[in-house]
Amino acid sequence: MKAVVYRPNDGFLCEENGTSAPTTYRVFPYSLAVCAASLEESGVEVGVVDAAAGRLGWQKAIGLVEKERPEVVIVAVNNIAAGLDMQGIEQMKSRLAIPVVALMTHPMEEETIRSYPFLDVAIRREWSSTAVDVLKALAGRKDLALVPGVTLVRDGEVVRTEGRPHQGLDERPVPALHLFPMKQYDSYQIAMSEGCNYHCSFCWFCGYPPSGWSGRNIDRVLEELRRLKSYGSKPVFTIDDELTFDPEYAKRVCQGIVKAKINMMFSANTRADRAEDELLEMMSRAGFFNLQFGVESGCQEILDRNGTRKTLEQAKAAFALLEKHRIASKVFFLIGLLHETRETVQQTFRFVREELNHYDASFDIAIPYPGTSMHRFLKRKGWIRTLDPENLSWIYFHVYGCRQLAGTPMRKPFWRIGKMTFDDLYEMERKFYRYVPRGGLVPQLKRLMFNRAFRRTTRDLLWHEPGELLGLAARLLS
C-alpha cells in the first residue's frame, strides 16, 4: 500500500500529545515522523508532503500529494485550524477516490469529523500503532469500527471505538528523518519524556498516559539528538508535557548531553516548583537556553481551586534562578479560570507587571476544552454551549491574532465564569494584553550573550554553517 503523510501549512504545531501552539518557525513534526517510521516498518510505502516546511499554499501542496498517487492520505489536523487544514482535501479525495485518515491533536475529534464528513476516520491518540492498524483494515477491506482508538461517522452517528493500550516512547521507532525535508526546518522537536502527574482543571493532558509520567531511555534520546544534528545545528524544542517532573532524571539527561558533546540549544516546558539551583545550572550547561512554564494566575486562591499545586512564592524563586543562570523564559498566565472574578484578574495583571518586567509573558483566556474538569464543571452549571473547531478558529484569529486563519469558517464561542461572560474575558484580555511585558530587546540580548549554549552554538554555526547564524539570531529575538 502507498500512503502519503500530509502536513498542511497552517502556522501551528501539531503533535500527538496535544502540543499545538501557533508558530512562525518551520518546525520538524516529531510525532508525524515517528508515525511515518511505524508505517514504513509495517511494509507501507510512505511519501511525505510537508507544506509547512516548504511554505506551500494548499493548491500546490495538494498537487504534490496527487502526484504521489497514493492509495490513502494521512493528514495531521490541528483542530484550531481545521478549516484551513481541510482546504483542498475534499477536492483531492474526490479526484483520487481514496480514504483520508486524520491525526488529531485536541480532544475534539467528534466535532471535527462531524464538520468534515469526507474524513473517513480520525485517530485520537497512539498515532503510530493505530495508523498501522487502520491501513491494515483498509487494505483488507475490514470494518474500521473494529480498530481500537478511532472515531468515525456511521449512518449519521459518531462511533467512538474503545481505547487502545498505550505504547511507550521507547517502544516506538525512531523518527523517519530520511522522509522529511530536514534542511528546510528552522528548528527541531523531540520527546525526552511523556505524561504529567498533575491534574489542573483546564488541562486536557490529565490522565494520559494512564501509567503517569515516564522518562525515556537516555541513550535513545542522545542518539536521536545526534541524528538531528547531522542535518544542522538548530534549536531543539522538547515537546514533553513536563521534562523536569523528576529532577534527577532531568539532571541525568543534562549529564548525558554534556558528556556526549551534543552542543545544541534546547527549550523545554517546566514548572516553577521544579526550579532548583543545581538543576537549572546543569540545564544551562547542557544547552537549555529557554524554559517555558505556566504560573497561570497571580491569585493564590485561584491556583489552589484549579488544582495547580504551585505557589506564587515558587514562581518568584524560579524567576531569580532563571536570571542567575542566564536562561530566558516564556511565562504563561490565564484569565477566566474556574472561580475567577474581575478582582482576581486584576491581581494577576498586577503580579505580571510587578514581577515580570524583563520576561516574556502571555496573558490569555483559559479555554474550557472538552474532556477537562473545567468543561465538565461549566456543563453542569449550564454555563457553556458546544465548543467546536470553528469556535477555536474564532478565538485564535480574534484573540491571539493568527491571521493565517482569515477566511476559514469561524464562530464566536459562548461560555461564562460566574458573572463574567466570554465577552467580558475578551474585553479584559484586550485591555491588559498591550501592557504585558515582552521581555525587552536589551534583557533578551543580555541573556543570550551570557548564555553558554548560545555562545557555543554561535561559534559552531560560524565555523560550519555561517548562513544559518543570522537567521538563528533573528528567530530568537523575534
Side-chain angles (χ1 to χ4, degrees), residues 38-321:
S38 290
L39 293 171
E40 199 171 47
E41 282 191 359
S42 71
V44 175
E45 182 184 352
V46 181
V48 171
V49 175
D50 189 343
R55 307 281 198 208
L56 304 178
W58 67 264
Q59 295 96 334
K60 186 168 184 178
I62 293 299
L64 292 176
V65 172
E66 292 179 339
K67 280 184 69 175
E68 294 273 347
R69 303 200 63 79
E71 297 168 75
V72 61
V73 169
I74 300 173
V75 56
V77 179
N78 188 309
N79 295 108
I80 296 168
L84 189 59
D85 292 348
M86 291 298 102
Q87 289 183 347
I89 291 287
E90 187 172 17
Q91 295 177 31
M92 179 210 67
K93 178 181 171 67
S94 176
R95 287 198 291 264
L96 297 181
I98 59 174
V100 176
V101 178
L103 304 174
M104 295 291 184
T105 60
H106 283 71
M108 297 180 70
E109 75 285 346
E110 292 185 22
E111 294 83 356
T112 301
I113 206 161
R114 281 189 187 278
S115 299
Y116 304 99
F118 51 85
L119 295 175
D120 292 88
V121 63
I123 295 176
R124 303 192 297 267
R125 290 272 197 177
E126 308 298 334
W127 286 4
S128 299
S129 57
T130 309
V132 170
D133 285 353
V134 165
L135 265 61
K136 285 180 179 177
L138 290 171
R141 300 184 182 279
K142 296 180 181 178
D143 189 355
L144 289 174
L146 299 177
V147 178
V150 303
T151 301
L152 63 157
V153 175
R154 277 287 166 78
D155 301 322
E157 296 295 322
V158 173
V159 177
R160 182 184 174 94
T161 67
E162 64 179 345
R164 63 192 299 122
H166 174 61
Q167 184 183 42
L169 293 176
D170 285 331
E171 301 172 44
R172 304 175 188 182
V174 297
L177 305 187
H178 61 284
L179 296 176
F180 288 77
M182 299 302 296
K183 291 293 185 180
Q184 292 185 11
Y185 298 117
D186 299 322
S187 57
Y188 306 130
Q189 291 192 131
I190 191 173
M192 298 182 179
S193 67
E194 65 178 339
C196 178
N197 287 10
Y198 298 93
H199 295 86
C200 301
S201 67
F202 49 87
C203 182
W204 71 84
F205 298 127
C206 297
Y208 185 85
S211 56
W213 182 93
S214 63
R216 289 186 66 189
N217 178 287
I218 295 175
D219 287 337
R220 288 197 64 176
V221 170
L222 297 177
E223 180 55 33
E224 283 190 19
L225 289 175
R226 291 188 190 96
R227 293 177 69 234
L228 287 172
K229 189 174 181 181
S230 70
Y231 291 94
S233 296
K234 299 172 184 178
V236 180
F237 295 91
T238 68
I239 63 171
D240 307 40
D241 302 323
E242 176 48 79
L243 174 60
T244 59
F245 173 78
D246 179 351
E248 295 306 312
Y249 172 80
K251 290 175 187 177
R252 292 197 299 275
V253 169
C254 293
Q255 289 169 345
I257 289 172
V258 171
K259 185 176 180 181
K261 297 181 180 179
I262 298 296
N263 293 343
M264 297 177 80
M265 298 174 66
F266 301 95
S267 176
N269 296 321
T270 183
R271 282 173 55 101
D273 62 351
R274 287 297 188 264
E276 56 181 63
D277 191 53
E278 182 184 8
L279 174 60
L280 292 190
E281 194 280 331
M282 293 180 71
M283 294 184 83
S284 178
R285 187 149 45 94
F288 286 86
F289 74 101
N290 181 276
L291 296 177
Q292 305 181 64
F293 61 95
V295 176
E296 320 306 357
S297 176
C299 173
Q300 188 61 52
E301 180 185 0
I302 296 299
L303 292 178
D304 295 340
R305 297 186 75 177
N306 282 270
T308 65
R309 292 165 58 187
K310 67 183 75 165
T311 70
L312 295 176
E313 292 306 312
Q314 290 169 335
K316 293 177 184 178
F319 301 152
L321 288 174

Side-chain angles (χ1 to χ4, degrees), residues 244-399:
T244 59
F245 173 78
D246 179 351
E248 295 306 312
Y249 172 80
K251 290 175 187 177
R252 292 197 299 275
V253 169
C254 293
Q255 289 169 345
I257 289 172
V258 171
K259 185 176 180 181
K261 297 181 180 179
I262 298 296
N263 293 343
M264 297 177 80
M265 298 174 66
F266 301 95
S267 176
N269 296 321
T270 183
R271 282 173 55 101
D273 62 351
R274 287 297 188 264
E276 56 181 63
D277 191 53
E278 182 184 8
L279 174 60
L280 292 190
E281 194 280 331
M282 293 180 71
M283 294 184 83
S284 178
R285 187 149 45 94
F288 286 86
F289 74 101
N290 181 276
L291 296 177
Q292 305 181 64
F293 61 95
V295 176
E296 320 306 357
S297 176
C299 173
Q300 188 61 52
E301 180 185 0
I302 296 299
L303 292 178
D304 295 340
R305 297 186 75 177
N306 282 270
T308 65
R309 292 165 58 187
K310 67 183 75 165
T311 70
L312 295 176
E313 292 306 312
Q314 290 169 335
K316 293 177 184 178
F319 301 152
L321 288 174
L322 289 165
E323 187 71 32
K324 174 182 176 181
H325 295 292
R326 303 297 185 187
I327 298 175
S329 182
K330 174 82 173 185
V331 188
F332 302 104
F333 290 86
L334 297 171
I335 63 171
L337 293 168
L338 292 182
H339 314 294
E340 191 92 82
T341 65
R342 288 182 178 273
E343 290 72 27
T344 61
V345 173
Q346 290 279 0
Q347 286 185 49
T348 296
F349 178 64
R350 285 196 297 271
F351 182 86
V352 172
R353 292 290 293 166
E354 292 169 6
E355 301 294 337
L356 289 172
N357 287 329
H358 301 307
Y359 290 88
D360 188 2
S362 70
F363 194 75
D364 301 320
I365 298 173
I367 300 174
Y369 288 104
T372 64
S373 57
M374 181 180 184
H375 187 270
R376 291 191 293 270
F377 180 89
L378 298 186
K379 288 288 282 187
R380 286 197 304 270
K381 289 282 190 178
W383 289 352
I384 189 171
R385 298 173 189 159
T386 57
L387 189 69
D388 59 29
E390 292 186 8
N391 297 142
L392 293 185
S393 293
W394 192 98
I395 292 169
Y396 274 81
F397 180 77
H398 290 279
V399 181

